[in-house]
Amino acid sequence: MKTLEKRILILLGLLVLLFIGTSAWAEKLDVVQKAIRDQGKHWVAGETENSRTPAYAAEYAKGRRIGLIKPTLTGKEKLFSATVSQTMTYGITFPTAFDWSTGGALNDGKNYVSPVRNQGNCGSCWAFATTAALESYAMIQGGDSTCYVGSCDLSEQMVLTCSGGGSCSGGSITTPSSYFVNTGIATEAADPYNISATTCSPASYWVNQVHKINSWAYVATSSPTVDAIKNALVATGPLVTTMAVYQDFYLYYRSGVYSYTSGSYVGSHAIVIVGYQDDATYPGGGYFRVKNSWGTSWGEAGFFRIAYSELNSVVNFGDYTLAYQSAVASGIPAAPTSLTGSAPSSSQVSLSWADNSLNEDGFKIERCSGTGCTAFTQIAAVGSNVTTYTNSSLSASTAYTYRVRAYNIAGDSGYSNTASVTTLAPPPAPTAPSALGAISGKLQVTLSWTDNATTESGFAIERCAGSNCTNFAQIATVAANTKSYINKNLKRATTYSYRVRAYNAGGYSGYSNMAGATTLR
C-alpha cells in the first residue's frame, strides 16, 4: 500500500474515533436531563462548547479549562474579620439580593464586575479568577487612568508567567494574591494573553502601570457558610473562590441555578463570586451568582448561578474563598472628604461630606467656635452612609469651624478637611400685632388679634389677673400666622388681662394693646 493511502486510512480512522468519542459525550446529555427532571433540579442542561468541541472534550480528561491546585494549609492562615464588616453598610441583616455588577455596597448602579474572559485550552482558571477579583478591587477603590469603572482589563498573562502561581497545567490562587500585594500586575495591553508564552515579560514594559491590593485573607478554608461569604462579598467586593467540577456542570450547564445532579469528578476550578439572591424555592435558600472564565457563549453569558446547598455537597463550593482587602474595607475606615457647610439661617449650619469608606459604623462631627480655632469638641454622631448633618440652636452672626471623621469597631479614621461657616445675621424683629380683643366664656376667654408681621416665627401670649394688673406672665405660644387663642380652665367670675407679641430669631416685637375679659359665673 502506498504511503499516501496509508496516511489517508490513518486519518479516516482518527476521524471515526473522534466521531465515536464525541457521540459518546453527547449521549450522556440524556442521562443528565433525565436526572434533572427526576431530582427536581433547577437548572437547564444542553449541548455546550465543552461537549460539542472535540478539542475541549478531549482535554476534559487532562483537566484543562479548569486547573486549580488546592492550597496547602498550615493552620496559620490570615482570616477575614467578619465582626468588623458586619457592622458596615447593611448592619448584620443582609439585603436579600446583592450584586457588584449593579453597584454593590456602593449602591450607585455602576458595574464593578469586569467582562467575562476566556481562558481557552489552558488550565489557567486560577489566573483568571484572581485577575478578575483584582479588576473589581481596583474599580471599587477608585481606579486610575488605566483601570476604572467601565474599563478595566488586567493581564492574566502576567499572572500566568510572572507570579509563580502555576502554568497551563494548573495553579494556585494564593500565590498570585500575594503577588498582587508585593508586585502587582499591569494591563492586558502591556502583556496580552498567550498560552504559548512561558516567560515573564521584562518589567520595563509595565512597572509603571501596576495594580496592587493592600492585603488578602481567607473567608473560608473549609466548611464555608452562606453568611460568611455574604459578609465578605458586601464588605470588600467580588471574591475568589473554588469548587469541585463534575461532568454534568463541565459538559452541559446552560442556565439556571446549578446543584450537583450526576456524573464523575472532573477537577477543581477557581471562579469569582459577584452576587447572591436569597430565595427559599432553591436548595439551601438561595444562590450565588458567579463569574466564570470560559467565554460569554458558555452558561448565562459567561456567568452561572449555584445553589447555597452546594457549599455542603460534593461540589464543595466556597472552600478556599479569598477576600481582597484594603485599609478601607478591612479595618479602620477611610476618612471622609469634601466637607462643606452653609448657613441657611441665623441659628443653623448645614454640613455635607463625601463618604469614602465601605465599612464605617458612622461619622463623628466636631466643632469649635471661630475661624481658625483648634479647640474642637464632638457635638454629634450619625449613622453609616449618612453624609449630611444640620447643627441647630447656634448664635447669629457667629463663625463656627467643623471637621468630620468616620468610625467603626476598629477605630476612627483621619479627619476630613475643616469647613468654616458664619451664621446669618438675625432678621429684624417682627411688627407688633394689634386690635387684640377678648371675649368671655364659661371658664375660658377667647382672644383674637391682627397679624401685622410677615417674618414672625410665632406669637407669645401673656396674662395677668385683674383689670389693671401689671404682673404679666407668658402662658402660651402659637405658630406663625395664627390670629386667635382660647385660654381655658379659668376661674368663674374672674377678670383677666392679656397682651400678645410676635417673635422670630431677631427678637420680640412690641406688645399689642391690652385686652381684658371677665369669665361668666
Side-chain angles (χ1 to χ4, degrees), residues 186-269:
T187 63
E188 176 72 10
D191 195 3
Y193 189 56
N194 177 10
I195 62 177
S196 299
T198 57
T199 58
C200 181
S201 63
S204 59
Y205 292 164
W206 52 269
V207 70
N208 294 322
Q209 304 177 37
V210 295
H211 295 80
K212 304 173 73 174
I213 61 175
N214 180 270
S215 64
W216 65 271
Y218 277 101
V219 177
T221 55
S222 62
S223 304
T225 67
V226 171
D227 277 355
I229 292 176
K230 283 182 179 180
N231 190 31
L233 182 69
V234 170
T236 65
L239 307 174
V240 180
T241 196
T242 65
M243 64 183 291
V245 174
Y246 284 78
Q247 285 181 340
D248 57 350
F249 181 84
Y250 182 90
L251 292 170
Y252 301 121
Y253 176 83
R254 293 288 295 274
S255 63
V257 177
Y258 173 76
S259 56
Y260 173 71
T261 304
S262 65
S264 60
Y265 173 73
V266 177
S268 294
H269 192 37

Side-chain angles (χ1 to χ4, degrees), residues 354-373:
D355 177 1
N356 299 314
S357 175
L358 294 178
N359 67 329
E360 80 277 357
D361 286 348
F363 296 91
K364 297 176 180 178
I365 297 97
E366 298 183 6
R367 182 191 73 198
C368 64
S369 296
T371 302
C373 60

Side-chain angles (χ1 to χ4, degrees), residues 47 79 90 152 166 282 349 364 381 421 450 487 490 512:
E47 292 290 358
L79 299 177
Y90 297 99
C152 188
Y282 294 104
V349 167
K364 297 176 180 178
V421 184
T450 299
N487 187 198
L490 301 176
S512 67

